[in-house]
Amino acid sequence: MSFTVAIVGRPNVGKSTLFNRLVGKRLALVDDLPGVTRDRREGAARLGDLAFTVIDTAGLEEAAPDSLTGRMQAQTGAAIAAADAVFFLIDARAGPTPIDRSFADLVRRSGKPAILIANKSEGRAAAAGVLEAYALGLGEPVAISAEHGEGLADLYEALRQALPDQTASPAGATGSELARPLHVAVVGRPNSGKSTLVNRLIGEERLLTGPEAGITRDAIAVDLDWRGRRFRIHDTAGLRRRARVEAKLEKLSVADALNAVRFAEVVIVLIDAKAPFEEQDLRIVDLVEREGRALVIGMNKWDLIEGRPGAIARLRAETDHWLPQVKGVPIVALSGLTGAGLDRLMAAVVEAHAVWNKRIPTNALNRWLAEVTAAHPPPAVSGRRIRLDYLTQPKSRPPSFVLFCSRADAVPDAYRRYLVNGLREVFDLPGTPIRLTLREKKNPYAKRKRRSA
């Protein structure tokens, strides 16, 4: 079913840039000068598997009704009235302004489903503005960068939630036919058995394999249906240490593999069971953790290891020892050659994806924060205590938390690890990357002059 979305917001927040991104063409003029757009512009937009009409509007400004700006605002009001939903944009770097608050009330009074979008969210400078956007009362802000195409997957999910009927699957089609496939990248050192594993998963010799290392050069994507769920599996070139990568072709292959990791939802790091946890294996896992992807460790060629009692338990302990930054990560002993353990591997992928998407209520987080700080308060620095005020989770994929406190730069790294490990254990977040950002609350009296004695 087709539907219409209006993009509104004050001038120069990136409405036309988002419009161009959604329609896939440079239809609307874009410039750093505020107020370039004056008329309503409609376009055929696509976001994932959703096709809809999007309306670009003039920037909202307070003005007399008979002025040019006032007439432009009337056009924006007509666009809101004609739309099924509203994208309300703010500039994440500037944070919510009084004009944003005024027009947020206008959008709310329209009664249309509204999605609050914090645009220009690339970089650290925008993080505070995204969190402050909650104060507009339009729900959870979706952090995106329309210019760079970041955050569109989160915008897709928000649009599906805002318009469940209009974005529902057509009648007669099953969910497995239309559900977006789960993107999985298989990475590892050369000759760890990645292509053999993918061939075994899809049940055909789709990818070239052999005893020679480095056969795979491009990141090849294949489709898989496993127990009614769709997957898109990306086989990648083996990742060697950077110092050993000299040939131009191999550099391109490595870059392709890294792109597959960045665009995947779950990454399977395949390790050769005959030589586990070599330095390059640890580097690859660290790369996946820094990219914030869900992670599963596949211990391949397990059929070549003698079956000793307690081998799996030792493997679990060794994994937690070498990879403390992803403690509890799922690890599956398997054989790509014989097919042993593949069902357990795919089940682990689904579970890791669910953990990666997990959201925790704010009240539960703050009850936990009160308990852990009572049991182990943060240490005093230079004779002054650090106060931990409030904890919230602004986003998932991976689970990301923001802790408001005093003297954020003075919190020791050891105490941050204590908090992250506590979150992982109490809220059942095994193996997934966890982001914890510390922020200081603004002091309302900071700019007041002291009274002279």
Side-chain angles (χ1 to χ4, degrees), residues 295-354:
L295 175 66
V296 174
I297 303 291
M299 194 61 66
N300 195 24
K301 307 182 184 179
W302 195 252
D303 53 316
L304 303 179
I305 305 299
E306 293 183 10
R308 303 171 194 161
I312 297 296
R314 285 194 298 273
L315 183 61
R316 172 79 269 166
E318 199 172 356
T319 303
D320 288 341
H321 168 74
W322 288 109
L323 304 171
Q325 73 273 37
V326 287
K327 188 175 182 180
V329 62
I331 182 163
V332 180
L334 59 96
S335 170
L337 189 63
T338 67
L342 296 194
D343 278 346
R344 293 195 303 273
L345 178 68
M346 297 310 296
V349 166
V350 173
E351 290 172 8
H353 183 255

Side-chain angles (χ1 to χ4, degrees), residues 275-296:
F277 301 112
E278 291 194 355
E279 182 181 359
Q280 184 63 1
D281 294 324
L282 306 184
R283 289 178 183 271
I284 293 171
V285 171
D286 193 54
L287 165 71
V288 174
E289 193 277 335
R290 282 188 278 112
E291 289 294 337
R293 306 296 97 184
L295 175 66
V296 174

Side-chain angles (χ1 to χ4, degrees), residues 135-203:
L136 294 175
L138 292 175
E140 180 181 351
V142 179
I144 72 165
S145 171
E147 184 173 357
H148 298 97
E150 299 175 3
L152 297 184
D154 295 331
L155 183 59
Y156 170 88
E157 295 297 338
L159 186 55
R160 292 288 299 266
Q161 293 175 16
L163 296 173
D165 294 334
Q166 291 91 330
T167 59
S169 303
T174 64
S176 62
E177 291 172 341
L178 293 168
R180 188 173 59 88
L182 198 162
H183 288 260
V184 180
V186 182
V187 301
R189 290 185 284 121
N191 213 25
S192 58
K194 299 180 292 298
S195 298
T196 302
L197 170 64
V198 175
N199 283 341
R200 177 62 66 172
L201 283 170
I202 64 176

Side-chain angles (χ1 to χ4, degrees), residues 34 66 76 203 217 266 275 277 320 325 372 382 387 392:
D66 56 347
T76 300
R217 286 177 171 171
V266 182
F277 301 112
D320 288 341
Q325 73 273 37
V372 296
S382 302
R387 188 181 69 254
T392 186

Side-chain angles (χ1 to χ4, degrees), residues 60-62 73 88 99-107:
L60 292 166
E61 297 181 88
E62 295 179 339
Q73 184 178 327
F88 185 78
I99 295 177
D100 289 324
R101 294 184 176 90
S102 173
F103 289 110
D105 292 336
L106 173 67
V107 171

